[in-house]
Amino acid sequence: MTARRGTPLRPSMRALTFAAVFVVILATLALAYATHVASQDRRDANRRAQRESNNIQLYADARAGALTETSYTATYVVLRQASSRERVIESMAQVDGAFVQLAANTPASDTSARERIDELRADHLRAAQDHQTIFRMIDAGDTAGVLTVAVDGGVAARAEQLTIDLRAAVDEARVRLASAQRDATAAEARSDQIVMVFLAVWALVLVASGAAVLRYVVRPLERVRQASRDIAAGAIETRAPVAGPSETADLATDVNAMADKLLAHARELERANAQLGLALDAEREHARRDPLTNTLNHGAIASELRELIARGMRDGSQGAVVMVDVDGMKAVNDTFGHQVGDEVLRTVALALAHESAVVGRYGGDEFVVMLPAAGREEAERYRDGVACELAAAALRDPETGAAVPVVASFGVAVYPTEAARIDDLIKLADGAMYEAKRQRPLAASALGSQRLVAGDRAARIVGELVPLLAHG
């Protein structure tokens, strides 16, 4: 990083840094080499110890096999058992295999040990040949010759000497094992000493370099880091002090520039969020509204009804539901057209929107009105007021100027005195509405007037067309 502001690194600090790094690298390399040498010595000593431990077992196996050969040969001489002879042959193979393994375990550089193994193996081969000679003489029936060979021929003496030599070999291997274990322990101690010495050197170097780094690098960098944390935590007005080495000063400058951008973005985001919140609120409200009448749609009014029930369950308040059906909508649409029918629905919705009334289009030409905290008396006053307003509505056909009657039927149900569930409230209010529709003779006259208007409208259209046809 190119320095823009701040104090550059002091030459003494740079020299101390390079010197500390050089010393650490040099100490590390020296430690690695010394540790490698000590580890190699320890591994060599451990391998020797393992080899001698194996050799002890092999010598012991060879001695046990030699004793078995001698004892079972004597048994065969006395009892003539074939199993004794087979056991002797197996022991011969076992002892010879032990000598082969001993030779394989012993490095070629250890000439004295290999010569010792070769001598003992040659002695065993001679002892094995003596056993074979005894077997052949017994097979030939020369019992007297067997005794002569065994005693005067020195067979027994050679077998006994072999076991003594093998015992001595075991003792020698144990001595070598103890020596190898001592060497391994000494190598491990040297390795630990080397590590401790170099750790002390490292500690001195680190303390000296750490003191300089703490003063000239760490403390200014810590202040920059704290400022960065404060900014990340939301305090974007915080600024880092521009101090210390040039690298740290440049970092502080970059952090401050970043904080300036964050502050500008945050303010812009606040403005955007405020606008988005308003747009979302408007969109949510729009999604709850019926596009034709601007009343609540079916889902929204159902939600309001559920809230009415829930509020009543919480605080024991009452409320009324009014079902409204616009009469003769099909006749209006057929006579005046759907645009006039839509205007009739909007006129009804406007008349229903009184004070605290929550109005929703339930479907088609039906509306649901929720009157919070209202009883039957208040609901009936509301119903009568709306009916009067509709009766006075001056809605006319824009083409003919004919008056368009706006008539609605109402049904009232009160929570919780008359029904305590939404479905029951709707059903009760719906039933009352249809009962009112059947009992009100005005419905028939309204429809009759609509038919008269339809005829009047047709007559006016014909009257307008006849003069045009006559001129044509």
Side-chain angles (χ1 to χ4, degrees):
M1 182 185 295
T2 303
R4 296 189 296 268
R5 288 187 297 172
T7 305
L9 287 171
R10 298 171 182 264
S12 59
M13 178 61 193
R14 186 179 296 112
L16 179 60
T17 302
F18 289 143
V21 171
F22 176 76
V23 171
V24 168
I25 293 175
L26 184 62
T28 301
L29 293 176
L31 173 62
Y33 176 75
T35 303
H36 172 73
V37 173
S39 299
Q40 187 64 39
D41 293 342
R42 186 171 62 253
R43 285 193 296 270
D44 292 343
N46 288 333
R47 282 196 293 268
R48 288 199 311 272
Q50 184 62 41
R51 183 172 62 247
E52 295 303 333
S53 178
N54 294 336
N55 288 348
I56 289 172
Q57 185 62 44
L58 290 172
Y59 278 126
D61 292 343
R63 183 171 180 275
L67 291 173
T68 302
E69 292 175 16
T70 302
S71 62
Y72 275 93
T73 299
T75 302
Y76 182 74
V77 170
V78 176
L79 302 177
R80 303 292 197 276
Q81 292 178 343
S83 61
S84 298
R85 184 170 181 173
E86 292 173 357
R87 186 61 184 274
V88 171
I89 294 173
E90 292 175 0
S91 297
M92 290 178 183
Q94 173 186 342
V95 174
D96 191 65
F99 281 120
V100 171
Q101 188 63 44
L102 282 166
N105 290 348
T106 304
S109 58
D110 194 352
T111 55
S112 61
R114 295 183 69 88
E115 290 175 357
R116 179 63 170 161
I117 293 170
D118 292 340
E119 291 175 1
L120 292 172
R121 188 178 185 186
D123 292 341
H124 174 256
L125 290 176
R126 284 193 295 271
Q129 291 173 358
D130 291 340
H131 296 316
Q132 294 291 350
T133 300
I134 291 173
F135 291 154
R136 287 194 297 272
M137 294 178 69
I138 291 175
D139 292 342
D142 188 4
T143 304
V146 170
L147 295 175
T148 302
V149 169
V151 179
D152 297 338
V155 172
R158 283 194 295 274
E160 182 179 2
Q161 185 60 43
L162 176 61
T163 58
I164 293 172
D165 292 342
L166 288 172
R167 177 65 182 180
V170 170
D171 295 337
E172 293 171 1
R174 287 175 176 166
V175 172
R176 290 193 296 272
L177 173 61
S179 176
Q181 290 174 340
R182 287 193 299 271
D183 292 343
T185 301
E188 186 172 358
R190 286 194 301 273
S191 178
D192 293 341
Q193 292 173 355
I194 292 172
V195 170
M196 293 302 296
V197 169
F198 281 97
L199 284 177
V201 173
W202 277 347
L204 292 175
V205 172
L206 291 176
V207 167
S209 59
V213 170
L214 180 64
R215 179 178 179 182
Y216 296 109
V217 178
V218 174
R219 288 176 180 169
L221 189 60
E222 180 65 27
R223 288 192 289 268
V224 174
R225 184 179 67 171
Q226 186 59 47
S228 301
R229 288 181 174 177
D230 293 341
I231 294 170
I236 55 178
E237 297 82 3
T238 303
R239 294 296 178 267
V242 181
S246 60
E247 293 83 358
T248 305
D250 290 344
L251 179 60
T253 302
D254 292 340
V255 169
N256 293 339
M258 177 191 67
D260 293 339
K261 291 181 179 179
L262 285 176
L263 184 58
H265 288 322
R267 290 172 178 170
E268 181 64 27
L269 187 60
E270 288 177 358
R271 290 191 293 270
N273 283 340
Q275 296 174 357
L276 181 60
L278 295 176
L280 287 176
D281 291 341
E283 186 61 28
R284 291 192 191 99
E285 185 61 24
H286 179 72
R288 286 165 48 87
R289 294 287 172 178
D290 174 60
L292 176 62
T293 63
N294 199 35
T295 60
L296 296 177
N297 56 30
H298 185 96
I301 192 63
S303 177
E304 294 292 335
L305 289 172
R306 286 193 293 271
E307 179 59 27
L308 172 68
I309 300 297
R311 184 166 56 249
M313 294 178 65
R314 286 195 303 269
D315 56 20
S317 60
Q318 63 178 354
V321 174
V322 181
M323 289 293 295
V324 183
D325 181 69
V326 183
D327 295 332
M329 277 303 300
K330 184 176 187 307
V332 171
N333 288 329
D334 292 343
T335 302
F336 301 105
H338 286 279
Q339 290 183 347
V340 174
D342 291 344
E343 189 61 31
V344 169
L345 291 176
R346 283 191 286 267
T347 300
V348 173
L350 184 61
L352 293 173
H354 281 190
E355 300 176 354
S356 62
V358 180
V359 184
R361 189 178 179 186
Y362 203 63
D365 54 2
E366 287 187 340
F367 293 86
V368 175
V369 181
M370 189 181 74
L371 301 173
R376 173 160 287 278
E377 183 178 351
E378 293 88 346
E380 290 178 351
R381 279 201 304 270
Y382 167 81
R383 174 198 64 191
D384 296 340
V386 173
C388 291
E389 187 173 341
L390 293 178
L395 183 62
R396 293 188 174 276
D397 181 9
E399 294 184 8
T400 65
V404 180
V406 182
V407 183
S409 298
F410 301 87
V412 177
V414 179
Y415 169 86
T417 57
E418 298 176 5
R421 296 175 62 249
I422 294 177
D423 294 342
D424 295 338
L425 281 170
I426 295 295
K427 184 176 180 181
L428 187 60
D430 200 50
M433 178 190 70
Y434 281 105
E435 181 64 23
K437 187 187 293 289
R438 285 192 296 269
Q439 294 179 0
R440 184 166 48 80
L442 181 61
S445 62
L447 295 176
S449 66
Q450 289 169 2
R451 285 193 293 270
L452 291 175
V453 170
D456 181 64
R457 184 187 186 204
R460 291 189 182 185
I461 293 174
V462 171
E464 292 173 357
L465 288 175
V466 169
L468 292 175
L469 292 173
H471 286 296

